[in-house]
Amino acid sequence: MSSDDPRAALARVGERFDLNEYEISAYLAVLEAGQLSASEIADRTEIPQPRVYDTVRSLAERGLLTLQESRPIQVLAVDPEEAFADAHDSLEALISDLEARYTEPARETGAVSLIKSRSSILRYVEAVIEAADYELVLSLTPALLKRYESELAARREAGVTIELLVTPAAEAPSTEEFEYRSVATRARARRGITTPVLAVADGSYSTYATQDAIAWDGDRYGVVFNRSALGFLLSGFFNTVLWTTAQPLAENGFEEHFPRRYASIRRCVKDLAQHDALTEGNGSLTATIEGRDILSGEYLTVSGRVVGVSLASDEQSAALEIETDEGERDGETVSVGGRVAALEDVEAHEIYLDHEPTADGN
């Protein structure tokens, strides 16, 4: 079947299974008995005698029954495997084609997409997980954690930093039952059922849904954000509201590999606080910031040595200080904040870190 012709396949499958009430009753009666006359079919079903012949002839034309010309006419069952062979093949091909279309959510269609079925929401969550190149934050129920365990492990293996929230906490598997470090850089659990299901890849591509929408199909919905300015809304909500009110489960700690890339300045600063390159004699960290000037709105790139970090105790604000080494700001110390920064000089959209060792290689 051509992958661009699912409509015709749907029509073929629908035609095969479009049986009315009389046809269903007659077919099942003959299937159970193997062979019946028209009067016997009428006796075993609620089909009026005058309608029996039309009904069984319709089924015979579809290849579901055969008619044996005798007196009286005998109606014989056809092996279902043979009767539905063509429908089975069409259905398998159709499912394969529809699944290919269904599992490839289109990201380019708009900034925001509304999704209204549980299965679609789950597909988008998976798509966001698989799209992450360097940073992923997500909130999952224990059942979804199990569902996406292999996908998360693959992203961790690829070097993606993952912050995982499991909710409700009462149902989260213990660290003895589940190896959180294999699927997340940091994992926490949050109490209650009010926490939404969400996933944000690299601070941009993201999806959001309530736990009700995941629990069953109905009058529920999810939202997909395809652009970074909107994905930041979910990332900020996760960082400031959800993550800070959750209890730690497991943490891998700082991973010593450079260069590194961040969409979240909070995550960047937390890592730097654990890294000794900011202390004398251990080389230096350099940063390249892509963002914009908070006063003029001009998009810019700032590069230089990291000379300071700050992180509020509630983790709701974070900043870097960069000693610049090029351009008009050469030699200046520039303060860098996250999205919608107001107190710093630069609003960071992406942060690239690298480590310059000392002369002795440390």
Side-chain angles (χ1 to χ4, degrees), residues 229-253:
L230 297 172
F232 162 72
L233 297 176
L234 284 189
S235 184
F237 172 66
F238 178 92
N239 291 337
T240 59
V241 177
L242 303 183
W243 190 255
T244 56
T245 55
Q247 298 301 312
L249 282 172
E251 183 167 342
N252 276 310

Side-chain angles (χ1 to χ4, degrees), residues 258-300:
F258 290 95
R260 301 174 68 86
R261 189 177 173 193
Y262 296 88
S264 163
I265 194 166
R266 180 188 65 84
R267 207 159 288 111
C268 173
V269 168
K270 285 189 68 175
D271 279 354
L272 289 181
Q274 302 178 58
H275 186 54
D276 62 5
L278 288 176
T279 63
E280 186 176 353
N282 290 292
S284 63
L285 285 173
T286 60
T288 298
I289 312 297
E290 292 186 0
R292 61 178 178 171
D293 186 290
I294 69 157
L295 296 179
S296 68
E298 176 188 0
Y299 285 89
L300 47 73

Side-chain angles (χ1 to χ4, degrees), residues 132-143:
D133 287 328
Y134 56 92
E135 190 173 284
L136 176 66
V137 300
L138 69 168
S139 168
L140 299 176
T141 63

Side-chain angles (χ1 to χ4, degrees), residues 41 67 84 181 223 228 239-240:
I41 292 174
L67 303 183
F84 290 98
R181 289 182 176 85
V223 181
S228 59
N239 291 337
T240 59

Side-chain angles (χ1 to χ4, degrees), residues 8 10 15 51 68 76 192 201 209 215 242 290:
L10 278 170
E15 181 181 358
R51 297 292 304 276
Q68 181 177 304
L76 285 68
L242 303 183
E290 292 186 0

